[in-house]
């Protein structure tokens, strides 16, 4: 699972999980699952989340993966 | 790390309480149902029909519990896998659809279990009634799936797909083993209605596996 900062930005915006869910047209369960790293959202939803917070996707979702050094 | 451990402990405690309460409630209802049915009917039903009825009762009980949660969100939040009462209010429409679906499955399975059939003259209802209910539920399921196709969000869809995957794997393994054992004379006979019971039970189990693997059994 990716790490994400959805809860931080949601709380900074003063929105409840239900409010964010309504704005993104998903269930509150989905927001809760994303915030608790139980579900990685689809690319379209991640893009919509980032757009809603005025961020780039990589600012909202953090992937620690690094490519192997092929040399 | 210690903060996480401290936060997780109450969740598991809450889950354990829900499990115990659910188990007691299920046992009481099952005992009541068996008492109502009477030993003569139960003897006539045999293990396959009793298993089918048990699966039907589980579906019906789950529908009843979620329905109770929708009717009384504050109390419902204590026994259902939701964050709080507000979630039950916000997700009312989706959960009401679940209540209808699980309730219909439960009722149809129960009707099939108690329907008269060759070799089961003690059945409580004509076989045609159960068959009609099954057909109506199937048609209703297709129509509802079409009508509700845009009501499910991506997490619902993903969990549905994963639940079906696990249900298929479990059914394949279970039914293959059982059918093969029966075929080779090693195990109890697999009747046609056992397939219905197994598929319904594995759909429930598969859903729990899918939800549990994502750590969503506790909120």
């Amino acid at each position: 699972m990716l790490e994400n900062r959805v809860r931080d930005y949601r709380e900074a915006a003063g929105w409840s999980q239900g409010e964010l869910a309504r704005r993104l047209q998903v269930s509150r369960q989905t927001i809760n699952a994303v915030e608790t790293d139980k579900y990685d959202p689809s690319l379209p939803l991640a893009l919509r989340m980032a757009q809603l917070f005025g961020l780039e996707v990589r600012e909202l979702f953090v992937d620690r993966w690094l490519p192997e050094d092929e040399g | 790390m210690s903060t996480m451990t401290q936060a997780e402990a109450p969740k598991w405690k809450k889950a354990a309480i829900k499990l115990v309460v659910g188990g007691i409630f299920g046992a009481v209802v099952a005992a009541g149902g068996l008492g109502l049915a009477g030993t003569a009917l139960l003897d006539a039903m045999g293990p396959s029909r009793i298993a089918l009825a048990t699966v039907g009762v589980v579906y019906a009980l789950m529908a009843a519990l979620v329905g109770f949660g929708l009717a009384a969100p504050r109390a419902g939040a204590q026994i259902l896998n939701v964050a709080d009462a507000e979630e039950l209010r916000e997700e009312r429409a989706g959960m009401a659809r679940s209540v209808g679906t699980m309730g219909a499955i439960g009722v149809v399975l129960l009707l099939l279990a108690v329907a008269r059939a060759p070799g089961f003259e003690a059945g409580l209802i004509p076989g045609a009634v159960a068959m009609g209910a099954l057909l109506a539920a199937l048609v209703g399921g297709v129509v509802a799936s079409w009508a509700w196709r845009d009501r499910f969000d991506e997490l619902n869809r993903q969990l549905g797909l994963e639940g079906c995957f696990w249900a298929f794997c479990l059914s394949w393994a279970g039914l293959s083993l059982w059918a093969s054992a029966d075929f080779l004379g090693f195990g109890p006979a697999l009747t046609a209605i056992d397939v219905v019971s197994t598929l319904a039970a594995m759909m429930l189990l598969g859903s729990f596996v899918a939800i549990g693997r994502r750590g969503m059994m506790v909120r």
Side-chain angles (χ1 to χ4, degrees):
Chain A
M1 290 290 166
L2 298 171
E3 294 174 34
N4 73 82
R5 303 185 62 198
V6 173
R7 184 190 298 270
D8 297 338
Y9 283 105
R10 174 181 61 76
E11 289 178 350
W15 297 334
S16 65
Q17 286 185 342
E19 173 65 14
L20 179 58
R22 190 188 63 74
R23 287 171 184 263
L24 291 166
Q25 295 180 307
V26 296
S27 66
R28 180 177 160 184
Q29 193 182 26
T30 298
I31 300 300
N32 185 280
V34 170
E35 287 187 353
T36 51
D37 296 326
K38 290 172 180 169
Y39 174 66
D40 287 336
S42 66
L43 184 56
L45 181 56
L47 286 166
R48 269 182 242 140
M49 284 180 161
Q51 187 180 357
L52 197 61
F53 292 122
L55 302 165
E56 296 294 329
V57 171
R58 63 188 306 167
E59 294 177 272
L60 201 53
F61 295 93
V62 181
D63 188 359
R64 304 288 180 197
W65 180 82
L66 289 172
E68 283 183 26
D69 184 1
E70 292 180 6
Chain B
M1 182 64 85
S2 61
T3 307
M4 192 176 192
T5 306
Q6 285 166 5
E8 290 298 319
K11 284 185 180 179
W12 283 108
K13 191 177 172 185
K14 191 178 171 187
I17 291 170
K18 287 177 181 177
L19 197 65
V20 170
V21 170
I24 292 170
F25 183 64
V28 168
V29 171
L34 291 174
L36 280 175
T39 48
L41 179 63
L42 290 175
D43 286 344
M45 284 174 75
S48 291
R49 285 188 175 82
I50 290 174
L52 182 66
T54 303
V55 177
V57 166
V58 172
Y59 271 94
L61 267 180
M62 290 177 66
L65 283 174
V66 178
F68 168 75
L70 291 180
R74 199 175 294 179
Q78 302 300 314
I79 55 171
L80 298 174
N81 186 23
V82 293
D84 52 35
E86 197 56 35
E87 183 172 338
L88 280 170
R89 296 189 187 96
E90 289 172 0
E91 305 293 338
R92 174 177 292 274
M95 290 193 175
R97 289 193 290 272
S98 296
V99 169
T101 305
M102 288 189 297
I105 293 171
V107 167
V108 168
L109 295 182
L110 278 167
L111 290 178
L112 284 172
V114 299
R116 279 193 290 279
F120 182 54
E121 307 310 325
L124 301 177
I125 59 168
V129 171
M131 199 63 211
L134 174 62
L135 286 172
L138 285 173
V139 171
V142 171
V143 171
S145 297
W146 177 258
W148 298 339
R149 67 191 182 283
D150 295 327
R151 307 278 179 90
F152 303 104
D153 76 352
E154 61 177 62
L155 178 61
N156 295 146
R157 291 175 199 272
Q158 187 61 34
L159 286 175
L161 285 172
E162 290 173 13
C164 286
F165 166 78
W166 283 107
F168 173 74
C169 291
L170 292 165
S171 299
W172 190 9
L175 288 174
S176 296
L177 273 173
W178 190 353
S180 299
D182 177 21
F183 181 65
L184 297 171
F186 293 131
L190 173 66
T191 66
I193 208 66
D194 290 330
V195 176
V196 176
S197 306
T198 304
L199 290 175
M202 292 305 110
M203 193 62 241
L204 265 187
L205 189 58
S207 299
F208 283 126
V209 171
I211 293 167
R213 279 173 54 85
R214 286 189 174 276
M216 295 173 69
M217 289 294 279
V218 288
R219 296 285 296 274

